[in-house]
Amino acid sequence: MNARSIDLKRNVGNSRTTRFARKSSHKGKWLIIPILLLFAGFMFMAIAGEILVGNEQIAQLEAIKKNESFVPIAELPDYVPQAFVSIEDHRFYHHFGIDSISLARSLLVDLKTLSFAQGGSTITMQLVKNQFLTQDKSIGRKLKEILMAIQIERLYSKEEILEMYLNTIYFGHGTYGLKEAAQLYFDKNLLGQDTVTLKEAAILAGLPKAPEIYSPIKNPEKASERQAVVLKRMEELGNLTQPEKETAVWKSRFKPIPSHSSAYLHSNSSH
């Protein structure tokens, strides 16, 4: 092999190396762009969240804990918060305020139907909506809800968020929070020996989705159906066994809600 052939091969090799280096360089540049966009997105969410959740909003959340009807999760049987998390937001302990899977699913349905009927809201997002936002269904309101939920997850622990949610959620018939709901529906104060049973906790956990529809006072049959859904979900997630689920099923036609609850409701609705 002469010197000219060797030089030619070297030139070809160098040319290939140069082209490969250029391609790698271009690929590297294209990879940087989405990374920068992602970083910018996180920065935007962080800044917007801090603006939307200021001292006023934090003070409002802190006031929940000072309410005389506030009940800490530590004083509740495990099955009470489990029932709510199971049916309302089963990935609650694994997300950062928004459930990307549920949100994407609901957005797809909304786009297909050209509506905002689907929720996709986590427990944190529900807390935000109920405390700070209106109930209107719009993109702007949903974006605020998402940004504020992410910020609240940065400021509070999961236990604190769940406590605030359980103590403020609407349970129907003008009743807010677990303590008032337990008193209205079961004449129990929720604490100590007088706490709600698994059967009753599942009924309460089924209410936030549609309090008036699933009210055991107004619609005992629908309340029973909803309670069965809650118990089934708890079983699927490993929060109770099948025998426990079957024991806790509430058959409204055999064991109605105590009559004093109906009397209480009637006396309050007459005012």
Side-chain angles (χ1 to χ4, degrees):
M1 184 179 293
N2 56 34
R4 185 177 179 182
S5 298
I6 293 173
D7 289 340
L8 184 60
K9 285 187 176 182
R10 284 177 179 172
N11 290 335
V12 170
N14 290 337
S15 177
R16 288 176 178 172
T17 303
T18 303
R19 285 199 300 270
F20 178 77
R22 286 175 181 172
K23 287 181 180 179
S24 298
S25 176
H26 286 308
K27 286 181 180 179
K29 289 178 181 178
W30 285 111
L31 284 173
I32 291 173
I33 293 175
I35 292 173
L36 289 175
L37 289 174
L38 189 63
F39 177 75
F42 278 119
M43 288 298 295
F44 166 76
M45 288 190 292
I47 295 171
E50 289 180 1
I51 293 172
L52 291 169
V53 183
N55 292 334
E56 181 181 345
Q57 286 74 28
I58 292 173
Q60 188 171 331
L61 292 176
E62 290 298 321
I64 295 171
K65 303 175 185 179
K66 299 174 183 177
N67 193 299
E68 61 180 12
S69 64
F70 181 82
V71 179
I73 285 181
E75 297 183 26
L76 296 172
D78 290 342
Y79 55 73
V80 175
Q82 284 174 356
F84 284 87
V85 172
S86 296
I87 197 65
E88 287 293 320
D89 183 7
H90 70 278
R91 283 186 283 267
F92 174 68
Y93 292 104
H94 306 288
H95 62 61
F96 54 94
I98 60 172
D99 185 340
S100 303
I101 297 173
S102 294
L103 190 61
R105 188 186 301 120
S106 66
L107 285 174
L108 284 174
V109 175
D110 287 341
L111 289 172
K112 287 180 180 179
T113 59
L114 298 177
S115 68
F116 296 99
Q118 294 296 306
S121 294
T122 62
I123 282 175
T124 314
M125 290 168 70
Q126 290 182 55
L127 176 66
V128 165
K129 180 176 65 176
N130 294 333
Q131 292 299 309
F132 309 121
L133 304 175
T134 63
Q135 299 297 317
D136 70 301
K137 298 180 183 296
S138 66
I139 294 176
R141 200 271 295 157
K142 196 69 174 181
L143 181 59
K144 280 185 180 180
E145 187 179 311
I146 290 171
L147 294 172
M148 294 178 80
I150 293 172
Q151 178 64 8
I152 285 174
E153 289 267 350
R154 294 175 61 195
L155 297 173
Y156 293 95
S157 68
K158 289 290 186 180
E159 182 177 279
E160 289 175 311
I161 292 169
L162 187 56
E163 279 181 340
M164 290 186 285
Y165 168 82
L166 292 176
N167 281 279
T168 57
I169 196 69
Y170 183 60
F171 284 96
H173 307 301
T175 302
Y176 291 86
L178 263 179
K179 188 173 183 179
E180 289 186 8
Q183 289 173 340
L184 170 64
Y185 293 113
F186 308 114
D187 195 29
K188 294 186 174 182
N189 66 18
L190 202 62
L191 300 176
Q193 297 295 320
D194 199 29
T195 192
V196 292
T197 63
L198 170 60
K199 181 183 298 186
E200 294 161 343
I203 293 173
L204 293 175
L207 288 170
K209 182 179 180 180
E212 305 302 330
I213 293 176
Y214 297 118
S215 164
I217 294 174
K218 291 177 66 176
N219 300 304
E221 292 295 336
K222 287 189 177 295
S224 179
E225 292 171 4
R226 178 66 174 164
Q227 188 237 24
V229 173
V230 174
L231 291 171
K232 182 180 179 182
R233 193 69 179 128
M234 291 180 72
E235 181 192 9
E236 290 172 348
L237 295 171
N239 291 322
L240 76 167
T241 63
Q242 185 175 358
E244 287 173 331
K245 181 193 76 173
E246 292 174 352
T247 302
V249 170
W250 178 60
K251 299 184 183 301
S252 60
R253 61 183 180 277
F254 297 127
K255 191 175 182 181
I257 290 294
S259 58
H260 64 78
S261 295
S262 298
Y264 175 89
L265 175 63
H266 178 72
S267 64
N268 277 269
S269 62
S270 62
H271 292 300

